[in-house]
Amino acid sequence: MAPGGGVGDPVLSRLVEQDLVPWYKKRNLRILYMLLLPTCIGIEMTSGFDSQMINTVQIAPSWQTYFNKPQGSLLGIISAAYNLGAICALPLVPYVNDTFGRRWAIFFGSWIMVLGSFLQAFATAAPMYIVARWVLGFGIPFCIIAGSSLMGELAYPKERPIMTSLFNALYFVGSLVAAGISFGTQSIHNNWAWRIPSLLQAGPSLVQICFIFLIPESPRFLISKDRSEEAFKILVKYHAEGDADSEFVKAEMAQIETTLKIEMEHSKRSWGEMISSPGMRKRVIIGSMLGLFTQWSGNTLISYYLNDLLKLIGYTDPNFKGKLNVGLNSWSLVNAVLISLLVRRFPRRTMYLTCATALLCCYIGWTVSMERFMTTQGTGAAKLTIFFIFMYSPCYNIGYNALTYTYLVELFPFAQRAKGITIFQFFGRGAGFFTTFVNPIGLKDIAWKWLITYCCWLAFEIVFIYFMFPETYGRTLEELAFLFEDQALADEATMKVEKQIHHEENPEHTEMYGETSAPSHNKRLV
């Protein structure tokens, strides 16, 4: 499916491809990426830690005793309170992002999550535990939306898809750490068996608080606030290793300035504009459905209720379940990172269609194997069910883990990026809240038949992706800014970049950065 009429000519993308020096040989870029690891890429470790922490503490007898063995709706609301808190925060997130910048949004959200983890660790009853999880959920979208935007806007275009893909892959670092800690604390025969993991959930947020102001602000945010000189210095330092005469940085700066100017002229920075034009409505529909797909594809069943799933197929030993959980998260981390490193090699639509199709096949096999066990009580069917649980991970990670934020950053222009990812979060968190609440009810009431609902939904996902998802592969963010808009807007931005490359006179740019910043007359685009 073609991406649409308003795609800019890949002028800058061709310049990027001409750069054959790898990132690890560029000192400033190495430093930037090392700092992005704890401050932005590591944000999803908090989400991963939470999903596995609430999953594995249920295995601890002391947690079950302290909260009177919660089941059904009570167990559902304990797990779902995290997503409910995130939904409540979403109206504020774009305002903080677009007013104070990406870094301050991460700083603010991290402190909220530190508070939530302490409340959770020292909860005295189920209501306090639920409130603590609501507070944790309230803080996470500030960090996720700001962090994913900041990485996409700071990274060198060649590595941007990999960096934004690793953002979600680090989810499994958090889940693996939580699974390991919770498994280790099971030997503690008192309430610290679950209080320690809850307390340590503050770890990733404290790291973000310590390091966040060591990285630069988004150049695009600075340009939108009329701080172009600061933005230019950041691009020169990290994208050109300090070379102010870099042809690429001058072309990049021209592209960003021109595209943002056109965006701002056609944007009121309001929620209403998200549905005011056909192009924005299409983006919103795609972003909304992607939010549903990331949570309604069966992943919350494994992330939050592995304990219940294993009970259904006859595994009740806490030691076995703890070891299997650690193994599952280790496997998920390995395949998620490997898939993230391959995103530059394949078109986005190909990866999404492969993901949804593989998930459907996996769930069909899982449903059949679970039905066979519950009918025959055969150990072979139980082992086959575990096989499908392990196979689910790489199938999901091909698209919904590796590409989610890469695709969202490419889909929405800068002026609407924070709001667009907020809409994605709203539908994703809403879907997560719904599934985490109803999963234990469905498993309790209809057992293996509950998996059939996921099979039906996954079939719908394949159809929607095929007809609605545009291709965004191989373009810079600015070249995709007018993906569904008039081609004339994309051409206007392209002409400005070509003028900069061919050194046609640009009085504003010359006045701002000096005569020496212009590229050579003899340099032509190949």
Side-chain angles (χ1 to χ4, degrees), residues 178-397:
I181 291 172
S182 299
F183 177 67
T185 58
Q186 282 183 29
S187 60
I188 302 174
H189 301 294
N190 56 49
N191 289 325
W192 285 106
W194 61 269
R195 292 190 191 275
I196 289 175
S198 298
L199 195 60
L200 291 177
Q201 192 168 347
S205 299
L206 288 171
V207 170
Q208 289 149 28
I209 289 167
C210 292
F211 286 95
I212 187 59
F213 291 108
L214 296 180
I215 62 173
E217 184 55 86
S218 162
R220 291 163 176 84
F221 171 79
L222 294 173
I223 292 171
S224 74
K225 298 297 182 182
D226 297 322
R227 295 160 63 184
S228 295
E229 291 188 34
E230 294 177 55
F232 184 70
K233 289 177 182 178
I234 291 171
L235 293 175
V236 166
K237 180 176 180 179
Y238 294 106
H239 289 191
E241 294 299 299
D243 179 12
D245 293 324
S246 166
E247 179 184 89
F248 172 77
V249 165
K250 285 179 292 203
E252 185 179 31
M253 189 71 186
Q255 188 183 65
I256 295 172
E257 284 185 312
T258 305
T259 304
L260 286 187
K261 182 180 178 182
I262 297 171
E263 284 185 37
M264 296 306 179
E265 286 175 352
H266 294 81
S267 172
K268 298 179 181 178
R269 306 299 291 273
S270 67
W271 282 103
E273 71 178 352
M274 300 302 290
I275 55 173
S276 63
S277 67
M280 286 311 303
R281 286 195 292 271
K282 189 167 185 178
R283 287 186 179 93
V284 168
I285 290 171
I286 295 169
S288 302
M289 295 308 294
L290 186 56
L292 297 181
F293 294 170
T294 58
Q295 298 300 316
W296 279 0
S297 298
N299 51 310
T300 55
L301 198 58
I302 298 173
S303 298
Y304 286 86
Y305 300 108
L306 182 62
N307 182 47
D308 292 344
L309 289 170
L310 293 176
K311 281 183 182 178
L312 286 175
I313 55 175
Y315 293 99
T316 57
D317 178 22
N319 188 53
F320 171 81
K321 289 189 285 188
K323 289 179 179 178
L324 187 141
N325 193 41
V326 172
L328 180 60
N329 281 281
S330 300
W331 163 238
S332 297
L333 173 61
V334 170
N335 68 65
V337 171
L338 289 176
I339 291 169
S340 296
L341 297 176
L342 298 174
V343 293
R344 291 188 68 239
R345 297 176 180 270
F346 302 100
R348 312 291 188 242
R349 278 170 46 80
T350 300
M351 292 185 72
Y352 271 125
L353 285 169
T354 302
C355 169
T357 304
L359 285 176
L360 177 59
C361 295
C362 186
Y363 247 91
I364 291 172
W366 182 1
T367 304
V368 172
S369 66
M370 184 172 281
E371 185 275 334
R372 285 290 82 202
F373 173 82
M374 300 191 77
T375 302
T376 66
Q377 299 298 305
T379 57
K383 292 176 180 178
L384 187 59
T385 300
I386 291 178
F387 167 79
F388 282 117
I389 290 174
F390 270 79
M391 277 303 300
Y392 179 90
S393 173
C395 297
Y396 181 89
N397 290 340

Side-chain angles (χ1 to χ4, degrees), residues 296-297 356 359-360 363 400 453-462:
W296 279 0
S297 298
L359 285 176
L360 177 59
Y363 247 91
Y400 297 140
T453 61
Y454 286 110
C455 294
C456 297
W457 178 257
L458 286 164
F460 165 74
E461 289 182 11
I462 296 171

Side-chain angles (χ1 to χ4, degrees), residues 113-178:
M113 286 189 287
V114 169
L115 172 63
S117 67
F118 276 85
L119 288 173
Q120 182 176 246
F122 297 106
T124 57
M128 183 176 175
Y129 195 79
I130 293 169
V131 168
R133 293 189 50 69
W134 183 93
V135 173
L136 277 163
F138 190 89
I140 191 65
F142 288 95
C143 299
I144 288 178
I145 293 169
S148 58
S149 299
L150 185 57
M151 274 197 306
E153 293 163 3
L154 270 179
Y156 190 67
K158 186 181 289 186
E159 289 86 41
R160 175 179 52 78
I162 295 176
M163 298 297 288
T164 48
S165 295
L166 285 172
F167 182 76
N168 250 1
L170 268 289
Y171 172 98
F172 295 107
V173 172
S175 62
L176 177 59
V177 171

Side-chain angles (χ1 to χ4, degrees), residues 488-506:
L489 297 175
D491 291 342
E492 183 180 342
T494 300
M495 287 175 60
K496 185 68 176 287
V497 178
E498 289 179 336
K499 286 176 68 176
Q500 177 62 61
I501 292 172
H502 301 319
H503 193 34
E504 293 182 19
E505 187 63 23
N506 184 344

